[in-house]
Coordinates of all heavy atoms in Angstrom, one line a residue:
K1 N 119.2 -53.6 -41.6 CA 119.1 -53.5 -43.0 C 117.9 -54.3 -43.6 O 117.2 -53.8 -44.4 CB 120.4 -54.1 -43.7 CG 120.4 -53.9 -45.2 CD 121.8 -54.3 -45.7 CE 121.9 -54.1 -47.2 NZ 123.2 -54.5 -47.8
D2 N 117.6 -55.4 -42.9 CA 116.5 -56.2 -43.4 C 115.1 -55.7 -43.0 O 114.1 -55.8 -43.8 CB 116.6 -57.6 -42.8 CG 117.7 -58.5 -43.4 OD1 118.2 -58.0 -44.4 OD2 117.9 -59.6 -42.9
V3 N 115.0 -55.1 -41.8 CA 113.7 -54.8 -41.3 C 113.3 -53.3 -41.4 O 112.1 -53.0 -41.3 CB 113.6 -55.3 -39.8 CG1 114.2 -54.2 -38.9 CG2 112.2 -55.6 -39.4
S4 N 114.2 -52.4 -41.7 CA 114.0 -51.0 -41.6 C 113.5 -50.4 -42.9 O 114.0 -50.8 -44.0 CB 115.2 -50.2 -41.1 OG 115.8 -50.8 -40.0
N5 N 112.7 -49.4 -42.8 CA 112.4 -48.5 -44.0 C 113.4 -47.4 -44.0 O 113.7 -46.8 -45.1 CB 111.0 -47.9 -43.9 CG 109.9 -49.0 -43.7 OD1 109.2 -49.0 -42.7 ND2 109.8 -49.9 -44.7
R6 N 113.9 -47.0 -42.8 CA 114.8 -45.8 -42.7 C 115.7 -46.1 -41.6 O 115.4 -46.7 -40.6 CB 113.9 -44.6 -42.5 CG 114.7 -43.3 -42.4 CD 113.8 -42.1 -42.6 NE 112.6 -42.1 -41.9 CZ 112.3 -41.2 -40.9 NH1 113.1 -40.3 -40.6 NH2 111.1 -41.3 -40.3
V7 N 117.0 -45.6 -41.8 CA 118.0 -45.7 -40.7 C 118.4 -44.3 -40.4 O 118.7 -43.4 -41.3 CB 119.2 -46.5 -41.2 CG1 120.3 -46.5 -40.1 CG2 118.7 -48.0 -41.4
M8 N 118.5 -44.0 -39.1 CA 119.0 -42.6 -38.7 C 120.3 -42.9 -37.9 O 120.3 -43.6 -36.9 CB 118.0 -41.9 -37.8 CG 116.7 -41.6 -38.6 SD 115.7 -40.3 -37.8 CE 115.1 -41.2 -36.3
M9 N 121.4 -42.2 -38.3 CA 122.7 -42.2 -37.6 C 122.7 -41.1 -36.6 O 122.6 -39.9 -36.9 CB 123.8 -42.1 -38.6 CG 125.2 -41.9 -38.0 SD 125.8 -43.3 -37.1 CE 127.3 -42.5 -36.3
F10 N 123.0 -41.5 -35.3 CA 123.0 -40.5 -34.2 C 124.5 -40.3 -33.7 O 125.2 -41.3 -33.7 CB 122.2 -40.9 -33.0 CG 120.7 -40.5 -33.2 CD1 119.9 -41.2 -34.0 CD2 120.3 -39.4 -32.5 CE1 118.5 -40.8 -34.1 CE2 118.9 -39.0 -32.6 CZ 118.1 -39.7 -33.4
D11 N 124.8 -39.1 -33.3 CA 126.0 -38.9 -32.6 C 125.8 -37.6 -31.8 O 125.3 -36.6 -32.3 CB 127.2 -38.7 -33.5 CG 128.5 -38.8 -32.8 OD1 128.6 -39.5 -31.8 OD2 129.5 -38.2 -33.3
Q12 N 126.2 -37.7 -30.5 CA 126.1 -36.6 -29.6 C 124.7 -35.9 -29.6 O 124.6 -34.7 -29.6 CB 127.2 -35.5 -29.9 CG 128.6 -36.2 -29.7 CD 129.7 -35.2 -30.0 OE1 129.5 -34.2 -30.6 NE2 130.9 -35.4 -29.4
G13 N 123.6 -36.7 -29.6 CA 122.3 -36.2 -29.5 C 121.7 -35.6 -30.7 O 120.6 -35.0 -30.6
T14 N 122.3 -35.7 -31.8 CA 121.8 -35.1 -33.1 C 121.8 -36.2 -34.2 O 122.6 -37.1 -34.1 CB 122.6 -33.9 -33.5 OG1 123.9 -34.3 -33.8 CG2 122.6 -32.8 -32.5
I15 N 121.0 -36.0 -35.2 CA 121.0 -36.9 -36.3 C 122.1 -36.4 -37.3 O 122.1 -35.3 -37.8 CB 119.6 -36.8 -37.0 CG1 118.5 -37.3 -36.1 CG2 119.6 -37.7 -38.3 CD1 117.1 -37.0 -36.6
V16 N 123.0 -37.3 -37.5 CA 124.1 -37.0 -38.4 C 123.7 -37.2 -39.9 O 124.1 -36.5 -40.8 CB 125.3 -37.9 -38.1 CG1 126.5 -37.8 -39.1 CG2 125.8 -37.7 -36.7
E17 N 122.9 -38.3 -40.1 CA 122.5 -38.7 -41.4 C 121.3 -39.6 -41.4 O 121.2 -40.4 -40.4 CB 123.7 -39.4 -42.1 CG 123.5 -39.8 -43.5 CD 124.8 -40.4 -44.2 OE1 125.8 -40.5 -43.5 OE2 124.7 -40.8 -45.4
E18 N 120.4 -39.6 -42.3 CA 119.3 -40.5 -42.4 C 119.0 -40.8 -43.8 O 119.1 -40.0 -44.7 CB 118.1 -40.0 -41.6 CG 117.5 -38.7 -42.2 CD 116.3 -38.3 -41.4 OE1 115.4 -39.1 -41.3 OE2 116.2 -37.1 -41.0
D19 N 118.6 -42.1 -44.1 CA 118.3 -42.5 -45.5 C 117.8 -43.9 -45.4 O 117.6 -44.5 -44.3 CB 119.5 -42.4 -46.4 CG 119.1 -42.0 -47.8 OD1 118.1 -42.5 -48.3 OD2 119.8 -41.1 -48.4
T20 N 117.5 -44.5 -46.6 CA 117.1 -45.9 -46.6 C 118.3 -46.7 -46.1 O 119.5 -46.3 -46.2 CB 116.8 -46.3 -48.1 OG1 117.9 -46.2 -48.9 CG2 115.6 -45.4 -48.6
P21 N 118.0 -48.0 -45.6 CA 119.1 -48.8 -45.2 C 120.1 -49.1 -46.3 O 121.3 -49.2 -46.1 CB 118.4 -50.1 -44.7 CG 117.0 -50.0 -45.1 CD 116.7 -48.6 -45.3
E22 N 119.5 -49.3 -47.6 CA 120.4 -49.6 -48.7 C 121.4 -48.5 -48.9 O 122.6 -48.7 -49.1 CB 119.6 -49.7 -50.0 CG 118.7 -50.9 -50.0 CD 117.4 -50.8 -49.2 OE1 117.1 -49.6 -48.8 OE2 116.7 -51.8 -48.9
K23 N 121.0 -47.2 -48.8 CA 121.8 -46.1 -49.0 C 122.8 -45.9 -47.8 O 124.0 -45.7 -48.0 CB 121.0 -44.8 -49.1 CG 121.8 -43.5 -49.4 CD 122.3 -43.5 -50.9 CE 122.9 -42.2 -51.2 NZ 123.5 -42.1 -52.5
I24 N 122.3 -46.0 -46.6 CA 123.2 -45.8 -45.4 C 124.3 -46.9 -45.4 O 125.4 -46.6 -45.1 CB 122.3 -45.9 -44.1 CG1 121.5 -44.6 -44.0 CG2 123.2 -46.1 -42.9 CD1 122.2 -43.4 -43.6
F25 N 123.9 -48.1 -45.6 CA 124.9 -49.2 -45.5 C 125.8 -49.4 -46.7 O 126.9 -49.9 -46.5 CB 124.2 -50.5 -45.1 CG 123.6 -50.5 -43.8 CD1 122.2 -50.7 -43.6 CD2 124.4 -50.4 -42.6 CE1 121.6 -50.7 -42.4 CE2 123.8 -50.3 -41.4 CZ 122.4 -50.5 -41.2
S26 N 125.4 -48.9 -47.9 CA 126.2 -49.1 -49.0 C 126.9 -47.8 -49.5 O 128.0 -47.9 -50.1 CB 125.4 -49.7 -50.2 OG 124.5 -48.7 -50.6
D27 N 126.4 -46.7 -49.1 CA 127.0 -45.4 -49.6 C 126.7 -44.3 -48.6 O 126.1 -43.3 -48.9 CB 126.3 -45.1 -51.0 CG 127.0 -43.9 -51.6 OD1 128.2 -43.6 -51.3 OD2 126.4 -43.2 -52.4

């Protein structure tokens, strides 16, 4: 959350969701 511009959530070799850390971790 502190260091990233963007977070990508992976599952089974594909991107499930990506957004800013604020968005990914809060919503």
Side-chain angles (χ1 to χ4, degrees):
K1 188 173 183 179
D2 287 351
V3 83
S4 310
N5 306 117
R6 181 160 47 116
V7 175
M8 296 196 291
M9 168 69 191
F10 273 80
D11 194 29
Q12 299 182 338
T14 60
I15 300 171
V16 174
E17 182 173 0
E18 61 177 309
D19 214 316
T20 63
E22 293 78 15
K23 184 74 173 173
I24 289 288
F25 291 117
S26 65
D27 188 25

